[in-house]
Amino acid sequence: MKKIIVGLGEALWDCLPEGRKLGGAPANFAYHASQFGNEAYAISAVGNDELGTETLKAFDEKQLHYIMPRVDFPTGTVQVTLDDEGVPTYDIKTDVAWDNIPFTPEIEEAAHNCQAVCFGSLAQRSSVSRDTIRRFLGATPMSCLKIFDINLRQNFYSKEVICDSLRSCNVLKINDEELVTIGRLFGYPGLDMENKCWLILGKYNLNMLVLTCGVNGSYVFAPGLVSYQETPLVDVADTVGAGDSFTGGFTAAILAGMPMQEAHKLAVEVSAFVCTQNGAMPKLPQELLDRVK
């Protein structure tokens, strides 16, 4: 049976220098998880507008399952600018469709059958979508892998949302810059990076904590276990969606029963490949896909 994996939250268009590309962390995550043979869904909302229609058409072309209620708000867009090294900065539009995701019977049914879900802090900036995300997480099976890919963007987060999300997840994915922010927010800035990770892992009783540090590699912490992988040197086109592809590949590998260290290695290689491509949803090489059985 195919495993049901959900990316839950924002659906939007990244307006990049070379043109508009479909994006949003949940859709990126779901797309990459689906490439490994899983039944993956992007769950969000789009507007009753031309861009909403274009969004659903783009998902159809990518052969990605989705549950996307149409609501009376504009479909989300983000203005993305890249620096000389291809690292993006984002101007995320507010009061858009993905701020208003309704908790429909179809979304509830997906929660009941879900084996892994990835969610972030960004889509919880509004009360409507925050409530839907909380209800979805509460309706998942006990065995569900609930990944909080924290994704701090601009000022669209709060200590309350982060605490609630940490209590609701069993896997945290965070980058080194976000870890510094969380350290300040939670009042333990004096600890080094690894000790912060161990503290969060224990305090929130997590199964795993994934820490990515850009060119300085990445770590996966689990009770009594840590994995480290160097970041491969590649010719970077842009890094948009690279972190989401890491999470998608890692999740697919863990659900397939791969040991944590092997799943981590695969995730790093998936992410490195995505960095060599333009946009967040390139097709992965078959040699990577064949690693997950």
Side-chain angles (χ1 to χ4, degrees):
M1 271 183 67
K2 290 185 177 181
K3 296 175 175 68
I4 294 178
I5 299 176
V6 168
L8 175 60
E10 62 272 15
L12 47 84
W13 288 85
D14 290 319
C15 301
L16 295 150
E18 70 272 13
R20 199 170 61 204
K21 291 187 184 292
L22 186 61
N28 297 340
F29 164 81
Y31 175 70
H32 289 294
S34 76
Q35 292 196 73
F36 289 94
N38 299 293
E39 189 175 334
Y41 290 80
I43 296 181
S44 186
V46 293
N48 289 304
D49 51 20
E50 286 185 20
L51 203 52
T53 302
E54 195 176 333
T55 304
L56 303 185
K57 183 181 175 185
F59 284 138
D60 288 334
E61 288 171 355
K62 290 283 186 184
Q63 297 183 309
L64 176 61
H65 299 295
Y66 55 83
I67 304 173
M68 296 266 165
R70 302 195 77 156
V71 296
D72 291 327
F73 293 85
T75 299
T77 57
V78 178
Q79 195 66 43
V80 183
T81 53
L82 304 174
D83 67 14
D84 293 340
E85 296 177 350
V87 176
T89 55
Y90 305 92
D91 178 19
I92 304 166
K93 305 307 178 189
T94 55
D95 298 317
V96 292
W98 58 261
D99 286 316
N100 296 277
I101 307 167
F103 190 65
T104 64
E106 190 179 8
I107 289 175
E108 185 173 14
E109 185 180 353
H112 291 321
N113 297 300
C114 183
Q115 285 155 288
V117 55
C118 185
F119 67 103
S121 60
L122 180 56
Q124 297 187 71
R125 68 183 182 177
S126 75
S127 59
V128 175
S129 292
R130 183 164 64 246
D131 181 64
T132 292
I133 289 169
R134 287 175 177 172
R135 290 175 71 182
F136 186 99
L137 295 170
T140 56
M142 285 288 291
S143 59
C144 181
L145 206 60
K146 291 178 278 196
I147 304 135
F148 179 37
D149 188 351
I150 195 165
N151 264 343
L152 301 181
R153 294 283 184 260
Q154 295 173 211
N155 60 340
F156 299 130
Y157 60 89
S158 68
K159 185 176 180 180
E160 179 192 359
V161 163
I162 292 166
C163 284
D164 283 348
S165 298
L166 286 168
R167 284 191 284 264
S168 300
C169 76
N170 47 36
V171 178
L172 171 65
K173 179 168 176 282
I174 191 168
N175 67 35
D176 49 353
E177 293 178 0
E178 291 165 340
L179 187 63
V180 171
T181 301
I182 295 304
R184 291 192 186 120
L185 202 61
F186 283 65
Y188 36 82
L191 292 176
D192 66 23
M193 193 171 64
E194 288 196 34
N195 279 326
K196 281 192 183 92
C197 290
W198 287 121
L199 179 65
I200 294 167
L201 185 84
K203 182 175 181 180
Y204 292 97
N205 197 28
L206 303 176
N207 295 342
M208 287 180 282
L209 186 154
V210 179
L211 173 68
T212 58
C213 304
V215 296
N216 297 315
S218 58
Y219 300 80
V220 183
F221 298 88
L225 194 64
V226 63
S227 171
Y228 171 76
Q229 289 285 330
E230 291 185 358
T231 300
L233 290 172
V234 296
D235 292 326
V236 175
D238 69 56
T239 62
V240 178
D244 305 322
S245 71
F246 180 113
T247 316
F250 184 76
T251 301
I254 290 292
L255 286 184
M258 285 177 71
M260 187 182 84
Q261 292 94 330
E262 287 182 35
H264 183 195
K265 187 173 190 298
L266 174 71
V268 166
E269 291 176 32
V270 167
S271 178
F273 172 78
V274 171
C275 285
T276 68
Q277 308 296 303
N278 285 314
M281 296 188 193
K283 190 164 172 48
L284 297 174
Q286 194 62 42
E287 63 192 75
L288 289 175
L289 302 180
D290 288 344
R291 301 250 294 277
V292 176
K293 303 297 183 187

